């Protein structure tokens, strides 16, 4: 009984159809939240008492950094499921995550650098947080490079999945780097135990951006997943069904 | 309006950050759509040559 929904969930035609139907339900709320968050962050939130208007970089930097970690975790979990249960769809999810995660890791690094320049007096420092985030970018790029080295999708799936799973150790290192080591980077101000360290006028736009980016990732993932599932599919009947409704 | 654009003297850091992040978002939309389109085209091509196994 329990296995029927599991198999249905993982069957390519079902995934292709449901992903297509679900996409707008993530994309539209994401758009509204991000537009609202941008207005809240750029216009409504008051300037910071120490950093003035420079702190507004947080509204693009923190969500990008959050994406870099959340997407990697999703990728590693999907890759592990693909390895353990030999599930094609899970491998397709992992493959879909990589370019999204890589691009937002890049954005997190560059926006962080643009924030560091006026506040720390330097664009870059070999600091634990910055260095581990750079390693994350290399993990994504390594994963993508490794995939493209194989002609056969199934082999690319299996080999790259091992890298994705091993690389996940870097995720807690990044998150706790500011706690474990002396870092230029500030400690978490939202994702921490206890009260956030921001007033609601600053916090609400940030939470909107974080949720908006997360839903945006969901929408992107679904679009990419349909492409990945389709390219792995060898059964003519459902491709015909999927593409000629 | 000028004060808004000036960002309290941080304009040179704030606006490039926002521009880059929005560019990454737009590129992601383009890339994802392109991937799906290409996979569809490729699947149709396989259908045209193959039988039940494509």
């Amino acid at each position: 009984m329990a296995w029927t929904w599991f198999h249905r969930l993982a069957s390519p035609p079902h995934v292709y159809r449901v992903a297509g139907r679900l996409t707008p339900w993530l994309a539209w709320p994401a758009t509204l939240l991000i537009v609202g968050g941008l207005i809240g962050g750029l216009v409504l939130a008051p300037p910071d008492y120490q950093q003035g208007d420079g702190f507004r970089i947080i509204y693009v930097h923190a969500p990008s950094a959050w994406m870099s970690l959340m997407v990697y975790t999703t990728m590693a979990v999907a890759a592990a499921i693909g390895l353990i249960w030999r599930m094609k769809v899970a491998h397709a999810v992992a493959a879909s995550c990589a370019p999204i995660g890589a691009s937002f890791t890049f954005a997190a690094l560059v926006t962080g650098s643009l924030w560091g320049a006026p506040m720390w007096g330097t664009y870059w420092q070999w600091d634990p947080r910055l260095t581990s985030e750079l390693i994350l970018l290399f993990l994504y790029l390594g994963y993508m490079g490794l995939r493209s080295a194989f002609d056969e999708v199934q082999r690319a799936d299996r080999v790259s999945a091992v890298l994705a799973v091993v690389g996940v150790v870097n995720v807690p290192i990044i998150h706790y780097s500011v706690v474990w080591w002396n870092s230029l980077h500030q400690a978490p101000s939202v994702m921490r135990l206890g009260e956030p360290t921001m007033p609601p006028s600053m916090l609400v736009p940030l939470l909107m951006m974080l949720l908006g980016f997360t839903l945006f990732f969901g929408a992107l993932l679904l679009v990419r997943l349909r492409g990945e599932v389709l390219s792995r599919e060898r059964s003519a009947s459902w491709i015909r069904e999927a593409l000629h409704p | 309006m000028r004060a808004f654009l000036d960002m309290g003297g941080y304009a040179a850091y704030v606006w490039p950050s926002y521009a880059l992040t929005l560019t990454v978002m737009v590129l992601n939309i383009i890339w994802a759509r392109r991937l799906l389109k290409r996979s569809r085209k490729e699947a149709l091509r396989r259908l045209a040559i193959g039988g039940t196994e494509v």
Side-chain angles (χ1 to χ4, degrees):
Chain A
M1 187 60 189
W3 287 98
T4 32
W5 72 262
F6 193 68
H7 278 285
R8 245 175 79 83
L9 189 76
S11 87
H14 184 249
V15 168
Y16 187 88
R17 204 172 338 108
V18 172
R21 246 186 254 151
L22 218 57
T23 308
W25 292 95
L26 296 177
W28 283 110
T31 312
L32 294 177
L33 282 165
I34 290 167
V35 169
L38 282 174
I39 296 169
L42 282 171
V43 185
L44 304 178
D48 183 66
Y49 82 106
Q50 281 182 324
Q51 302 194 0
D53 287 315
F55 99 99
R56 295 184 200 279
I57 294 174
I58 200 176
Y59 297 107
V60 285
H61 173 70
S64 300
W66 157 245
M67 287 283 268
S68 72
L69 296 179
M70 189 253 305
V71 174
Y72 195 94
T73 309
T74 309
M75 180 170 99
V77 170
I81 293 174
L83 278 179
I84 296 167
W85 286 290
R86 296 181 166 268
M87 197 192 276
K88 260 199 256 177
V89 169
H91 283 303
V93 169
S96 307
C97 285
I100 308 172
S103 59
F104 280 97
T105 307
F106 177 73
L109 284 164
V110 177
T111 55
S113 175
L114 285 165
W115 198 0
M119 303 305 167
W120 302 339
T122 178
Y123 283 99
W124 185 261
Q125 190 73 248
W126 293 102
D127 160 285
R129 168 58 68 86
L130 278 60
T131 308
S132 52
E133 182 77 10
L134 184 65
I135 292 171
L136 184 69
L137 178 62
F138 293 150
L139 278 170
Y140 277 123
L141 297 178
Y143 176 92
M144 288 156 69
L146 192 57
R147 290 196 65 88
S148 63
F150 292 94
D151 288 328
E152 196 200 333
V153 142
Q154 276 73 22
R155 286 205 59 193
D157 279 346
R158 281 198 301 275
V159 177
S160 64
V162 175
L163 175 65
V165 171
V166 171
V168 83
V169 293
N170 192 36
V171 170
I173 293 179
I174 296 173
H175 183 75
Y176 290 107
S177 57
V178 291
V179 183
W180 291 340
W181 294 289
N182 257 323
S183 174
L184 269 181
H185 198 281
Q186 63 155 75
S189 42
V190 179
M191 271 163 257
R192 64 201 284 276
L193 292 171
E195 294 271 293
T197 57
M198 264 186 252
S201 55
M202 288 179 172
L203 183 63
V204 170
L206 183 56
L207 294 177
M208 288 173 78
M209 290 300 269
L210 289 168
L211 183 60
F213 272 54
T214 306
L215 295 177
F216 180 60
F217 162 60
L220 287 174
L221 178 63
L222 291 179
V223 175
R224 297 196 83 99
L225 179 60
R226 295 175 82 202
E228 291 284 345
V229 162
L230 206 49
S231 67
R232 280 167 177 72
E233 198 42 62
R234 292 289 172 272
S235 146
S237 61
W238 94 255
I239 292 181
R240 200 171 285 125
E241 197 188 322
L243 297 181
H244 304 282
Chain B
M1 190 64 195
R2 171 160 292 185
F4 176 68
L5 290 177
D6 186 51
M7 276 291 146
Y10 291 108
Y13 306 101
V14 173
W15 295 120
S17 300
Y18 278 77
L20 172 80
T21 307
L22 291 182
T23 307
V24 164
M25 299 185 89
V26 171
L27 282 176
N28 264 295
I29 297 172
I30 296 171
W31 291 335
R33 286 190 172 163
R34 193 187 291 164
L35 174 84
L36 179 55
K37 215 179 189 177
R38 199 178 297 153
S39 305
R40 276 193 183 134
K41 214 180 263 176
E42 176 63 21
L44 284 175
R45 200 185 57 80
R46 290 204 309 268
L47 264 189
I49 22 176
T52 50
E53 284 281 305
V54 290

